[in-house]
């Protein structure tokens, strides 16, 4: 059976993403144009536009389309912005970020995922402004600052270094908390030292970034 991916993409936007309060026309346009099926394994392509997480291998999953849409909207990207993505995954969200911003630096801990994402970006002709680095975000050199930071895995607590990557006025999207009670938040860095405004966006549940889960509690 041949799948009409263009129609599936349109249905995803109109029946999933838009009803989930994604109303930014630039975000809807990008999601409505990018071939999500090109960023998943062949055996999962029929589910590329379903409202589910998709396995990427190495214990990682691709976020639901609705979460990706809300993340992109929360970052309020402008064409001149620079973006740091924590967790390249499939490379799909990297491509979306690249369509909305000037440049994207994407960090991926697993070399095989980084290579596969790069190959998908190149094969689709997308992501020419996306640079993928194999790195552990929790140990990454944070000397450079960005207009936006997008974190694609959950954290128990937001690491201070994530905020240090933001320029004044910069926006961070991240899912924080302890499963199953997690919240997606937008953090905006102020002009004053350590000034950060937090806005709760929605409740969801994501797998933790490697090394960013809750610290086990030992009972004596």
């Amino acid at each position: 059976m041949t799948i009409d991916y263009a129609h599936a993409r349109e249905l995803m936007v109109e029946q999933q993403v838009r009803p989930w309060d994604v109303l930014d026309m630039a975000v809807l346009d990008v999601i409505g144009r990018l071939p999500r099926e090109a960023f998943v394994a062949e055996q999962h392509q029929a589910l590329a536009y379903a409202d589910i997480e998709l396995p990427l291998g190495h214990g990682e999953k691709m976020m639901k389309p609705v979460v990706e849409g809300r993340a992109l909207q929360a970052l309020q990207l402008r064409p001149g912005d620079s973006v740091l993505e924590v967790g390249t995954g499939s490379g799909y969200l990297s491509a979306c970020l690249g369509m909305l911003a000037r440049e994207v630096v994407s960090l991926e801990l697993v070399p095989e995922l980084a290579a596969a994402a790069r190959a998908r970006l190149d094969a689709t002709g997308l992501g020419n402004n996306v640079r993928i680095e194999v790195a552990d975000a929790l140990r990454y050199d944070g000397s450079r600052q960005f207009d936006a930071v997008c974190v694609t895995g959950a954290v128990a607590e937001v690491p201070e270094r994530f905020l240090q990557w933001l320029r004044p006025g910069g926006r961070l999207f991240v899912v924080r908390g302890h499963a199953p009670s997690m919240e997606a938040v937008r953090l905006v860095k102020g002009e004053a030292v350590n000034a950060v405004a937090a806005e709760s966006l929605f409740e969801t549940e994501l797998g933790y970034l490697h090394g960013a889960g809750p610290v086990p509690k030992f009972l004596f």
Side-chain angles (χ1 to χ4, degrees):
M1 183 182 70
T2 302
I3 298 174
D4 185 346
Y5 287 117
H7 183 58
R9 196 176 306 125
E10 181 181 345
L11 290 177
M12 177 192 72
V13 171
E14 296 303 323
Q15 297 181 3
Q16 298 177 46
V17 180
R18 193 191 294 269
W20 228 52
D21 293 329
V22 179
L23 305 175
D24 185 310
M25 292 307 298
V27 171
L28 292 172
D29 177 64
V30 165
I31 291 178
R33 286 194 289 139
L34 258 65
R36 201 170 190 268
E37 72 277 7
F39 290 87
V40 301
E42 186 175 355
Q43 66 266 32
H44 298 130
Q45 286 181 341
L47 298 172
Y49 296 98
D51 185 29
I52 58 174
E53 294 182 330
L54 292 175
L56 297 174
H58 302 277
E60 301 300 326
K61 294 180 180 179
M62 189 177 188
M63 292 192 297
K64 293 181 180 181
V66 291
V67 176
E68 292 168 333
R70 288 294 294 271
L72 292 168
Q73 178 171 268
L75 293 172
Q76 299 175 325
L77 295 174
R78 297 177 288 267
D81 283 349
S82 60
V83 182
L84 179 67
E85 179 185 33
V86 177
T88 311
S90 70
Y92 171 76
L93 197 60
S94 315
C96 292
L97 293 167
M99 294 280 286
L100 292 164
R102 176 175 56 85
E103 64 159 339
V104 179
V105 176
S106 186
L107 309 181
E108 175 53 57
L109 181 64
V110 182
E112 293 84 355
L113 289 180
R118 182 72 265 167
R120 290 176 181 129
L121 289 168
D122 292 343
T124 54
L126 298 165
N128 293 329
N129 60 342
V130 176
R131 185 173 85 248
I132 299 174
E133 297 185 19
V134 177
D136 181 349
L138 299 182
R139 294 172 175 79
Y140 183 68
D141 174 17
S143 58
R144 185 181 171 189
Q145 292 186 317
F146 297 83
D147 298 295
V149 176
C150 184
V151 185
T152 65
V155 297
E157 304 288 342
V158 179
E160 181 61 31
R161 65 172 50 232
F162 286 15
L163 298 172
Q164 293 172 352
W165 291 331
L166 290 175
R167 294 191 178 109
R171 291 85 57 201
L172 167 68
F173 172 87
V174 66
V175 174
R176 67 183 181 186
H178 294 212
S181 179
M182 293 181 171
E183 63 169 353
V185 296
R186 172 174 50 216
L187 304 177
V188 181
K189 191 170 186 176
E191 297 287 343
V193 177
N194 297 328
V196 177
E199 177 186 358
S200 179
L201 300 172
F202 55 93
E203 293 183 358
T204 189
E205 187 175 347
L206 280 184
Y208 287 108
L209 288 178
H210 182 76
V215 177
K217 293 181 179 179
F218 295 98
L219 300 177
F220 295 95

